[in-house]
Amino acid sequence: MSDAPTVVAPPPTAGLRELTVRGVILGGLITLVFTAANVYLGLKVGLTFATAIPAAVISMAVLRFFSHHSIVENNIVQTIASAAGTLSAIIFVIPGLVMIGWWTGFPYWITLAVCAVGGILGVMYSIPLRRALVTGSDLPYPEGVAAAEVLKVGETSEGVESNRAGLKAIIIGSVGSALFALLAKMRIFTDSVSAVYRIGSGGSMFGASLSLALIGVGHLVGLTVGIAMLVGLVISFFILMPIYSWGDFTAATGAIGDTIDTVFSSDVRLIGAGTIAVAAVWTLLKIMRPIITGISGALTSARSRRAGVAVDITERDIPFPYVGGTVLVMLIPIGLLLWDFVHTAKAGSSSMPLVGSAGGIITVTIVFVAIIGLVVAAVCGYMAGLIGSSNSPISGVGILVVIIAAVLIKVVYGTATGDQTDALIAYTLFASAIVFGVATISNDNLQDLKTGQLVGATPWKQQVALIIGVLFGSAVIPPILGLMNDSFGFAGMPGAGEDALSAPQAQLLSTLAKGVLGGSLDWGLLGIGALIGIGVIIVDEVLGRTTGRLRLPPLAVGMGMYLPMSLTLIIPVGAILGVFYNKWADRKGGDVEQKKRIGVLMATGLIVGESLFGVVYAAIVAASGDDGVLGVVGDSFENYAKWLGIVFFILLILGLYKWAQRIAGSMGGTGVGPSEPVDVTKR
């Protein structure tokens, strides 16, 4: 990739309205709904959903009533809503301060500032990464591509056969996935199957989430990533789980499920985090050159624009001097936040045990945020490009951030006891929350920038929209967190009741911080994961050098080890279905690429439908306070619902793909398919 900017004819989107006041307002209104839904679901079950595609659909529906709307204006709306919605993943760490009793609530301006400075840093770090990981990379970006296809079809569907068929593919896929999700919430069908089983004196588990959205993700990410995740799944659930649960079961098997869950969360998942850590470092080393090239290209583009050279609008980022200056300026409020935290006593106490001796850890923490933030931005951006924002194991990155932060603080501060240890644990979680803001935004931004690239958006305008989205999200998250705390509380916090929200990631990260600073963390598990990661890297490099096309992406393997089987297993299934569909398109001939595009759009619809239903369902649950509010049958129907769900899930998938083949086969076109096999590992 050349450092020089490409000077070309204006793209079709040149001159269209893009960053508009009405777009910003609409993005802000969508933010309120989606962020609230994500905060609730994240605290309830530990999962959040990507908001880009639902936001794009809503934006197109609303802006169609206004004159001079455009595809790039709709893209700005989804960018704002997506940035704000994804920032809600900061709930994976910051509730830990309430759980350990350091806070009793969420102080509005402090929480807002933590979200804002971390989010803005994430935006700034992702700007030079755009050239390295978006325009100069073949990463699939499943949700970014899906959002772009939604925008394209919604904008240009009138009067064109292929676009009508494409819009139909998205609608049918969306209706199918939303219908299945609705029937599952009505408890007519189950949306997951799981089982635990014995292997000698140990055991393991089986799980599959009957999610059509995960099928769609698998189709979009391709076979290489799907197989790599399957390898990680095998390592965790068929090798590590039996080993680490060996001897835990003696006579009765009634508690086997609880034992297996504990082994996975406390042992196997930590090994997976070690694999992700090594894979992340290796990935960073491999993409370092493109990152440097991207920064160089951004500087060249800025100089050319200042010299009056006409640079294509799709290559115009926020000028790099502004990016670097903003990063440096953000370190000032970060330092002030850390200083204020040290000088604020624990709830119900007047003692400030770190005052007078925290200068060293504040200085180190500022450097830590600046450097580790950049590393995290690159790694999270790569993971999102590889597998999508919704399925990227952001909490795995959070584990590494908390552990590294705790180790640094422990080394710099020295020996601590009693109140000092408690204060250092709280300080670690607070500092990690800032870096987590960088991680959550980077996990989403490059996906949005990929969408922008595909629809001809202006990067700097989209980057401004990302900052606006961060500010919207930062303003909305604190009161929602406060409402959740006042209404339900969090499991593990003092006085938590039966309805307390589990906030599983925050609970895990709090435990890790206590383990490092209290000396109880099992470093051996992380080391085992690191060794596995090194082995996978060697295999991947050997495959790449000897075959040229077969690869085993280490990060994807690590994600397969870390994520629950219920999420991992279905993605390879979708990847395999995508391969069969593409081979059918090759055999069918004609306009092969158009036929494959129908498959991509149908897979996109699977993601769209479930995402939109997720928003509606979250609103219903939040309003009723009952996550079973849609249920129409009792517990006695559970066994029937399981088998009905499995059968209907399989039939629905096969029916949708058959329908996509029929529509694609009936389309006109005189093109011919490629004479050589299509590389299904790259899209």
Side-chain angles (χ1 to χ4, degrees):
M1 184 176 65
S2 172
D3 289 354
T6 304
V7 182
V8 297
T13 54
L16 297 178
R17 301 182 70 174
E18 191 167 358
L19 186 59
T20 63
V21 173
R22 69 189 183 191
V24 171
I25 293 173
L26 179 57
L29 293 175
I30 296 174
T31 289
L32 179 62
V33 176
F34 283 6
T35 304
N38 254 339
V39 169
Y40 179 83
L41 289 181
L43 293 173
K44 181 79 173 177
V45 298
L47 295 173
T48 58
F49 56 88
T51 56
I53 294 172
V57 173
I58 294 172
S59 175
M60 289 187 296
V62 173
L63 290 185
R64 192 169 292 278
F65 293 101
F66 294 85
S67 61
H68 306 297
H69 63 84
S70 69
I71 188 171
V72 287
E73 185 180 17
N74 283 316
N75 179 56
I76 287 293
V77 175
Q78 71 88 14
T79 297
I80 292 173
S82 177
T86 196
L87 188 61
S88 61
I90 200 169
I91 62 171
F92 289 167
V93 58
I94 205 165
L97 290 166
V98 175
M99 289 178 163
I100 65 173
W102 194 265
W103 283 355
T104 56
F106 298 92
Y108 181 81
W109 291 109
I110 296 296
T111 308
L112 181 151
V114 169
C115 295
V117 297
I120 292 173
L121 266 184
V123 174
M124 293 300 109
Y125 283 150
S126 67
I127 290 173
L129 292 175
R130 183 186 73 85
R131 294 172 182 266
L133 297 180
V134 177
T135 61
S137 167
D138 60 358
L139 290 170
Y141 286 100
E143 289 156 346
V145 172
E149 295 292 348
V150 169
L151 290 169
K152 288 177 183 178
V153 172
E155 190 69 23
T156 62
S157 61
E158 296 83 6
V160 181
E161 179 191 358
S162 62
N163 285 325
R164 282 201 303 267
L167 181 59
K168 192 182 296 184
I170 290 180
I171 291 174
I172 293 298
S174 298
V175 171
S177 63
L179 175 63
F180 186 86
L182 172 62
L183 293 173
K185 295 306 178 186
M186 293 173 67
R187 302 182 68 180
I188 296 173
F189 297 148
T190 186
D191 57 2
S192 63
V193 292
S194 61
V196 293
Y197 53 88
R198 296 280 297 269
I199 301 177
S201 295
S204 189
M205 67 173 74
F206 169 84
S209 177
L210 303 184
S211 166
L212 287 162
L214 292 178
I215 293 289
V217 168
H219 186 124
L220 294 176
V221 302
L223 190 61
T224 294
V225 172
I227 290 176
M229 294 191 70
L230 198 58
V231 170
L233 181 152
V234 169
I235 292 173
S236 281
F237 292 94
F238 294 97
I239 299 176
L240 297 178
M241 284 290 292
I243 291 174
Y244 282 90
S245 62
W246 198 264
D248 286 347
F249 312 119
T250 53
T253 59
I256 184 174
D258 294 337
T259 303
I260 290 295
D261 287 340
T262 300
V263 170
F264 176 70
S265 60
S266 63
D267 295 339
V268 175
R269 207 164 195 181
L270 202 55
I271 294 174
T275 302
I276 289 176
V278 169
V281 172
W282 177 250
T283 300
L284 183 66
L285 292 175
K286 292 189 71 173
I287 65 176
M288 187 60 68
R289 183 176 179 182
I291 290 172
I292 295 172
T293 302
I295 294 173
S296 175
L299 291 170
T300 302
S301 177
R303 286 194 298 267
S304 298
R305 290 171 63 186
R306 286 196 301 269
V309 177
V311 178
D312 182 15
I313 63 170
T314 60
E315 291 296 321
R316 299 177 188 175
D317 294 289
I318 293 177
F320 190 76
Y322 294 166
V323 173
T326 302
V327 170
L328 293 176
V329 168
M330 284 295 102
L331 298 182
I332 298 174
I334 288 172
L336 293 175
L337 282 170
L338 296 172
W339 183 90
D340 177 76
F341 189 86
V342 167
H343 288 77
T344 301
K346 177 180 179 180
S349 171
S350 59
S351 173
M352 293 178 284
L354 300 182
V355 171
S357 57
I361 61 172
I362 290 177
T363 303
V364 168
T365 304
I366 293 173
V367 176
F368 167 78
V369 170
I371 296 176
I372 298 299
L374 178 58
V375 174
V376 162
V379 171
C380 288
Y382 185 91
M383 289 194 302
L386 189 67
I387 195 174
S389 302
S390 296
N391 302 291
S392 179
I394 191 73
S395 53
V397 175
I399 288 174
L400 302 176
V401 168
V402 167
I403 290 174
I404 294 170
V407 169
L408 280 176
I409 290 168
K410 185 174 184 178
V411 170
V412 172
Y413 190 84
T415 303
T417 57
D419 290 345
Q420 289 178 328
T421 300
D422 292 341
L424 289 175
I425 292 170
Y427 179 88
T428 299
L429 292 175
F430 186 78
S432 298
I434 298 174
V435 181
F436 214 86
V438 177
T440 58
I441 286 297
S442 303
N443 192 51
D444 173 79
N445 280 7
L446 295 180
Q447 205 82 241
D448 291 327
L449 293 172
K450 181 65 176 181
T451 301
Q453 178 203 16
L454 294 174
V455 302
T458 308
W460 77 261
K461 292 181 180 179
Q462 201 173 2
Q463 289 151 8
V464 170
L466 289 168
I467 296 173
I468 294 172
V470 165
L471 296 177
F472 274 136
S474 300
V476 170
I477 289 172
I480 298 174
L481 276 172
L483 178 63
M484 296 297 104
N485 182 43
D486 294 340
S487 302
F488 304 106
F490 304 115
M493 64 179 282
E498 293 182 1
D499 296 327
L501 298 169
S502 62
Q505 284 88 348
Q507 198 167 48
L508 173 61
L509 298 180
S510 301
T511 302
L512 287 174
K514 293 177 182 177
V516 174
L517 293 164
S520 60
L521 182 65
D522 189 343
W523 291 97
L525 295 175
L526 288 171
I528 292 171
L531 291 175
I532 293 173
I534 293 172
V536 173
I537 289 170
I538 293 172
V539 172
D540 178 53
E541 290 300 310
V542 170
L543 285 174
R545 294 175 188 273
T546 57
T547 67
R549 57 174 291 177
L550 296 179
R551 303 304 300 251
L552 192 67
L555 262 177
V557 174
M559 287 187 279
M561 293 174 61
Y562 178 83
L563 292 173
M565 184 189 287
S566 59
L567 294 179
T568 309
L569 185 61
I570 299 301
I571 294 176
V573 173
I576 293 169
L577 288 171
V579 170
F580 280 115
Y581 179 89
N582 288 341
K583 287 187 175 182
W584 167 85
D586 290 334
R587 291 194 305 270
K588 190 72 175 176
D591 193 341
V592 173
E593 292 307 313
Q594 182 59 46
K595 289 179 172 61
K596 290 182 179 180
R597 183 169 180 263
I598 292 297
V600 169
L601 290 170
M602 194 276 294
T604 297
L606 299 181
I607 300 173
V608 171
E610 193 166 314
S611 298
L612 285 175
F613 178 80
V615 175
V616 175
Y617 177 68
I620 294 173
V621 171
S624 66
D626 178 12
D627 58 6
V629 64
L630 297 182
V632 296
V633 295
D635 293 339
S636 60
F637 195 74
E638 183 177 353
N639 193 50
Y640 298 104
K642 179 177 69 175
W643 292 109
L644 285 173
I646 294 172
V647 172
F648 188 74
F649 183 73
I650 294 172
L651 292 177
L652 183 58
I653 292 171
L654 295 177
L656 288 171
Y657 270 97
K658 195 69 178 177
W659 178 89
Q661 288 178 340
R662 184 167 64 250
I663 294 298
S666 66
M667 293 177 62
T670 58
V672 294
S675 58
E676 57 181 331
V678 175
D679 183 358
V680 297
T681 67
K682 296 180 181 179
R683 287 182 171 83

